[in-house]
Amino acid sequence: MTEIVETRRDRIARRQVDKFGERRAQLADAALHTLAELGYARTSLREIAQKSEFTHGVLHYYFNDKVELITQAVRQYEQVCVTRYDDIVATATTAEQLRNDFGAAMATTLDADAPLHRLWYDLRNQSLFEESFRDDVLEIDSHREEMIRNVVDRFADLSGHPLLVSSTAAYAIFDGLFQQALLHKLAGHRDAADNLHTEAAGLLDVVTGQGRP
């Protein structure tokens, strides 16, 4: 009988933990666009509450401070982002197909999610000063590097040309290209996405040495 009671207590406790986690996820998702709009420096829990259906008290109950909330929000967004090229990698049968689809996908996410990408770069820059961000940013960054590594490895296989750079270097190259395109996009350059499409596709050739004599 004692074992049954303890099992029930365990189940109740687990449900409470699950509900708490679900609520945190809901709040972080609701706060994400406010964070993306205002950026780290101009955002507080009170500001987020004013721009959402939740009160400041509710946000403060589930999150100790804005650092914890921002980290949770970005983590949730990145869980989706780091899989954005999976289907392209899985379905590509030629190097040309992968090149075009990858360039198009980068251009699409630039157009569709520019404010959210801006939030990620803002958070990564803040981690240079805020130690509380650093471990989370490094973990997210490692997932993003893996995402690019999957693309370039598959392209190398399909093209028959070996990679000339490490996965870390390949990630840095594509990340730098995307960040530059994001800046141009936010500055109102209408050709930012088209240029990114072309440049990203061409960089796959560069990292595998295609076109070299």
Side-chain angles (χ1 to χ4, degrees):
M1 184 68 177
T2 302
E3 292 181 358
I4 295 176
V5 171
E6 289 177 347
T7 300
R8 287 175 179 171
R9 288 175 179 173
D10 289 343
R11 289 175 179 172
I12 292 172
R14 187 166 56 252
R15 282 200 298 269
Q16 290 174 337
V17 171
D18 290 344
K19 288 181 179 179
F20 186 85
E22 290 173 3
R23 188 60 165 169
R24 277 172 57 93
Q26 291 173 354
L27 293 171
D29 187 60
L32 188 58
H33 290 280
T34 298
L35 292 166
E37 176 189 350
L38 299 178
Y40 172 81
R42 294 190 297 164
T43 303
S44 64
L45 290 182
R46 190 171 302 278
E47 184 73 29
I48 293 170
Q50 291 174 352
K51 291 180 174 291
S52 72
E53 59 184 290
F54 304 107
T55 66
H56 177 257
V58 168
L59 290 174
H60 208 6
Y61 175 77
Y62 285 94
F63 297 96
N64 292 324
D65 52 33
K66 76 171 184 178
V67 170
E68 189 176 3
L69 174 56
I70 290 174
T71 302
Q72 175 83 9
V74 173
R75 274 184 170 275
Q76 289 176 196
Y77 174 66
E78 285 298 314
Q79 285 176 0
V80 177
C81 283
V82 296
T83 63
R84 69 164 58 93
Y85 306 127
D86 286 0
D87 287 344
I88 293 172
V89 171
T91 59
T93 57
T94 66
E96 183 64 23
Q97 179 188 353
L98 180 56
R99 182 192 295 111
N100 291 334
D101 289 351
F102 174 60
M106 287 197 81
T108 296
T109 190
L110 177 69
D111 265 343
D113 299 320
L116 297 174
H117 291 299
R118 177 176 61 183
L119 175 61
W120 158 247
Y121 287 115
D122 186 17
L123 179 60
R124 192 168 71 176
N125 288 337
Q126 288 296 329
S127 72
L128 298 174
F129 303 95
E130 294 269 1
E131 188 176 353
S132 56
F133 279 139
R134 206 160 293 155
D135 288 343
D136 291 299
V137 166
L138 286 172
E139 182 180 347
I140 293 171
D141 217 38
S142 70
H143 294 318
R144 292 167 67 92
E145 179 180 332
E146 182 181 1
M147 172 183 70
I148 294 299
R149 181 172 66 245
N150 291 337
V151 174
V152 295
D153 282 348
R154 180 58 177 159
F155 185 77
D157 289 340
L158 290 172
S159 67
H161 289 75
L163 286 175
L164 301 180
V165 298
S166 67
S167 62
T168 300
Y171 170 55
I173 293 168
F174 282 102
D175 183 67
L177 177 67
F178 188 89
Q179 187 173 16
Q180 182 186 53
L182 177 62
L183 178 59
H184 289 175
K185 168 75 175 178
L186 296 173
H189 298 181
R190 295 182 179 180
D191 58 353
D194 288 339
N195 288 342
L196 177 62
H197 183 170
T198 302
E199 295 292 339
L203 268 181
L204 287 174
D205 291 333
V206 172
V207 298
T208 54
Q210 294 198 59
R212 294 177 61 181

